[in-house]
Amino acid sequence: MKIAVTYDNGNVFQHFGRTEFFKVYNVEDNKVVSSEVIGSNGTGHGALAGLLADQDVDVLICGGIGGGAQAALAEAGVELIAGAQGDTDQAVEAYLKGELVSTGANCDHHHEEGHDCGHHEDGHSCGGHGEGHTCGEGCGSSCGANPALTGRNVGKTCRTHYRGTFNDGTQFDSSYDRGEPLEFVCGAGQMIRGFDAAVADMEVGQVVDVHLMPEEAYGMPDPNAVFSVEITQLPGSEELKEGQQVYLTNQYGQPFPVKVTAKDEKMITFDANHEMAGKELNFRIELVEVK
């Protein structure tokens, strides 16, 4: 049996339709015998459900999920266990013990009442391209799963300096400017796919230049990630302005970044796509240390 869990740095990712990674567990005699993290590389419910079916996944464990995704999974023959939170390994163990109960469809593109507009910010930077960033929705159902990364550094803690630029040469981020290398576990899903892949087989002291297409970075914009809410149902939204970047919270209290794209007297529209979605990125990466 195979069990897949929406994955974000060791925890159950809370938005099935926006998950960038799945952790897939191979189970024999009700015990986990192996596991690997794969890229979702898909846009929309059908593509993700198809990916799981192609991987021969029998069970999906996730957090929030809508009715459309639930129907797509049922059509693909994948059992759904929704409403899980916390550590992915513990969630799988709870399922195998019969202690994990599904809540069913519990999300509808963030339209539910009870969402609060919290932690307003004037903007949010790209930072380290790691934990806390939504790396896009992938390239569509035709791509299939990302193969597992291989290389001398996979599974090891790496420290890298890097400089990121757009194709016109404009710099959008640099660890050199902050004076501190970026630390992450290579291949653990903490980084965008192309950055991880570049570091996977580097030697300490080596410097490489990589050009990443959107599919290797933050994916292409997902039209399903644009949604409108009545201002009266979102406390604090009456103060927001078009173009402002803020954080909303879902029904689990998990924050996610959005940008205000439109607003009138009654409705406000948000775009939850990553600000880097659809962009080609260039990185100069220097591997400083491997632990």
Side-chain angles (χ1 to χ4, degrees), residues 132-276:
H133 286 275
T134 38
C135 299
E137 307 308 317
C139 58
S141 59
S142 62
C143 289
N146 276 324
L149 286 180
T150 59
R152 72 187 80 192
N153 301 322
V154 174
K156 299 178 181 179
T157 299
C158 299
R159 301 182 79 232
T160 64
H161 266 309
Y162 67 91
R163 179 172 289 109
T165 58
F166 297 120
N167 285 345
D168 64 2
T170 302
Q171 177 178 299
F172 59 81
D173 198 12
S174 172
S175 65
Y176 293 102
D177 292 352
R178 291 191 295 273
E180 181 67 27
L182 171 67
E183 183 172 304
F184 63 98
V185 177
C186 185
Q190 298 174 4
M191 307 299 295
I192 55 175
R193 176 75 182 183
F195 196 106
D196 240 353
V199 175
D201 210 32
M202 289 178 65
E203 297 179 356
V204 173
Q206 184 179 0
V207 179
V208 300
D209 292 304
V210 295
H211 174 76
L212 304 183
M213 298 302 289
E215 293 80 9
E216 303 170 286
Y218 291 93
M220 298 302 294
D222 179 6
N224 291 325
V226 179
F227 58 96
S228 297
V229 181
E230 290 185 16
I231 292 175
T232 56
Q233 295 186 1
L234 193 62
S237 63
E238 62 274 5
E239 303 295 331
L240 298 182
K241 298 179 180 179
E242 198 168 317
Q244 190 171 358
Q245 289 181 310
V246 298
Y247 282 86
L248 302 183
T249 54
N250 64 11
Q251 65 267 44
Y252 300 104
Q254 300 279 347
F256 60 97
V258 297
K259 184 176 182 178
V260 180
T261 57
K263 184 182 179 184
D264 58 27
E265 293 181 357
K266 294 184 178 181
M267 304 294 294
I268 186 168
T269 300
F270 298 101
D271 186 349
N273 283 295
H274 194 280
E275 60 186 347
M276 295 289 198

